[in-house]
Amino acid sequence: MSYQLVWLRTDLRVADNPALYKAMSQGPTLALYLVTPEQWKVHQDSPNKLEFWRLSLIRLAEQLQQLKVPLLVRCVPRWVDVAEHLIQLCQQYSVQTLHFNDEYGVNEQRRDQDVQQRLSALGISCHSYLDQVFFAPGTLLTQTGRAIQVYSAFRNQCHARLLHHLPKPLPRPKAQQPVGIPPDQIPERFSEVEAISLSDWPMGESAAHSLLELFVSEHLAQYAKARDFPAQTGTSRLSPYLTAGVLSVRQCVQAALSLTHGHFDTQHSGFITWVDELLWREFYRHILHAYPRLSRGYAFKPETEALLWRQAPEDLAAWQQGRTGFPIVDAAMRCLKATGWLHNRLRMIVAMFLSKNLLIDWRVGEQWFMQHLLDGDLAQNNGGWQWSASTGTDAVPYFRLFNPITQSEKFDPQGDFIRRWVPELAHVSAQKIHNPATLGGLFGISGYPRPILDLAQSRKRALQAFKSLSSHQTEPS
Ligand SMILES: Cc1cc2nc3c(=O)[nH]c(=O)nc-3n(C[C@H](O)[C@H](O)[C@H](O)COP(=O)(O)OP(=O)(O)OC[C@H]3O[C@@H](n4cnc5c(N)ncnc54)[C@H](O)[C@@H]3O)c2cc1C
C-alpha cells in the first residue's frame, strides 16, 4: 500500500488543518512530527513552549488515533538533516505525497525548499498549504508592488478582502480505515531544561475551543475597553494555542462572528478591535517574509544599527529578575519568569524600559522573551520588540517613551497586578504603590530595591542616542 504523509509542525490540530485534510482526502494517511532539539536551541525556543507543544502533541495523538491516522514521532536534532530523514521515511512507507502547512522564517523556508527539491527529484510530490494567515505573504502589496510597511494600510486591505471573502475553517476529516501501523511514543521531554508547571493551561484542541468560546461569550464584547488592564481578564490568552497551531486564525474569527450574528461588516468595537489584533499577527508574518534580514537578527530600519547600546550587565540582570525598583516593570518580569506569559500592555512597558530607559539592545530582550514565553514566535516577538525600540516597521516614534509610573497608574490603578507579583509591596496603598520611592525613609521599603535609574535622565539619554543617528533628526513636536 502507498501512503500520503502529513508533516505536522506548528499546526497541532485535526480540525481546520489544510495539510491533514488534503492528505486524508487523497488516500491512506500517516502523520509525522519531528522532534528537533538542536534546532530549537538555535532558535532560543523556551523549555516552557516546548513543553506546551509536547503536551499539545499528546492530545493531538489521541485525536489522530480516533481518525485512525498513526502518528510517527522521530528525532532529527537539526533541520539540515530533515530532508534526508524524510527521504528514508518516504521510501520505508512508500509515500507518494508529502503535505505540510507553510511556515515563514528564513530557516523554515530553507528547510522546506530543501525537502521539496530532494523529494521531487525522487518522484515524491510535495504539497504545501496556506494555514497560519488569511493571505499568502507577498500577495498584499502597495500600488507600486512593494510589501506594505504601514499597519493601517495593511489592515485596510485585509478588511476589504475579508469583507469580500472570509475564509471558513475546514471541517475535521472523517476517520480512515485502519492502516495497521502502530503510532510512536511521544518522548517524555523535548528539552533538557525543566519547564515551569503548565497546569493553568488546559491542553488540546477541545480545551482550546472551550477557552475561545468562553472568551467570545464572556469577554469579547468588552475587549476594546478591557484589553489594556493586566489585572483583568480582558484578553483571550489564546496566544500559546495560536502559536502551536492548536487553534487557527480562521477558527478564532469564526467563533467571534457569533457576537455579530455572522456579520464581518459590523460596527461592534469588541469584534473589530480583536480582529485587528489578529491582523497585527498577520502583518508581522508578512513583514518577516518580505524582509528575511529580520530572521537574521537585523533591525528593520538599517540606520538604527548604528545606535550605541549600553553594555550594562547589572542593569540587565535587574530587569530580567524584576528588581529595577519600578513596580510595574518588576511585577511583569517576575510574572513572565513564573508563568511564561505576559499581557500585551506589560510586554510593551518592559520592552520600552529595556530598549529606551536602559538603552540596552532590543535583541537582548527579544532573546530573553523567547527563552521564557509559552507563545514565543519569531514574527510577533521580533515585531513587538522592534515596535517598542523604534527600530521596526511602523514602530512607535523614537521620542515616545512610556513612563512606567504613569503607565502603572493608568493600567493597574489599584495596584492589583503589582501586589500579585511583588509581595514586598502588598501593604502599600493604591496611591503610593506605583512609585514607592516617594515613601522616603532611609532604607526605602524593606526588601524592595530603590529605582535603578532616574527616569528623566534616562529619557534624555535615549533621545540623544536616537538623535545622533543621521536619519532621526526630526524633533518631537
Ligand atoms: C515586546 C513584545 C513581544 C511580543 N512577543 C510575542 C510573541 O512572542 N508571541 C505572540 O504570540 N505575541 C507576542 N506579542 C504580541 C502580544 O503581546 C501577544 O500576542 C498577546 O499579549 C497575547 O495575548 P492574548 O492571546 O490574550 O491576545 P488577544 O488580545 O486576545 O489577541 C488575540 C491574538 O491576536 C494576536 N495579537 C494580539 N496582540 C498582538 C500584537 N500586538 N502583535 C501581534 N499579534 C498580536 C495574538 O496571536 C493573540 O493571541 C508581543 C508583543 C510585544 C510588545
Side-chain angles (χ1 to χ4, degrees), residues 223 235-239 274 277 344 347 375 377 380-381:
Y223 180 76
T235 71
S236 69
R237 291 171 61 95
L238 289 172
S239 50
W274 199 56
E277 292 307 316
N344 183 57
R347 295 189 205 212
D375 63 18
D377 174 279
Q380 275 154 277
N381 195 36

Side-chain angles (χ1 to χ4, degrees), residues 5 7-9 32-43 45 50 53 72-90 92 111 114-115 118 184-185 187 189-190:
L5 180 65
W7 174 18
L8 299 164
R9 297 104 69 97
L32 170 69
Y33 186 82
L34 295 178
V35 178
T36 60
E38 293 302 319
Q39 194 69 41
W40 290 336
K41 264 191 211 155
V42 171
H43 290 181
D45 291 316
L50 295 178
W53 287 2
L72 309 175
V73 182
R74 302 294 156 87
C75 184
V76 184
R78 295 171 321 147
W79 286 354
V80 283
D81 301 319
V82 162
E84 190 55 40
H85 189 88
L86 283 172
I87 289 170
Q88 285 171 21
L89 205 73
C90 289
Q92 182 185 352
R111 173 201 63 194
D114 184 34
V115 165
R118 296 195 48 200
D184 288 338
Q185 289 286 325
R189 50 202 311 173
F190 277 1

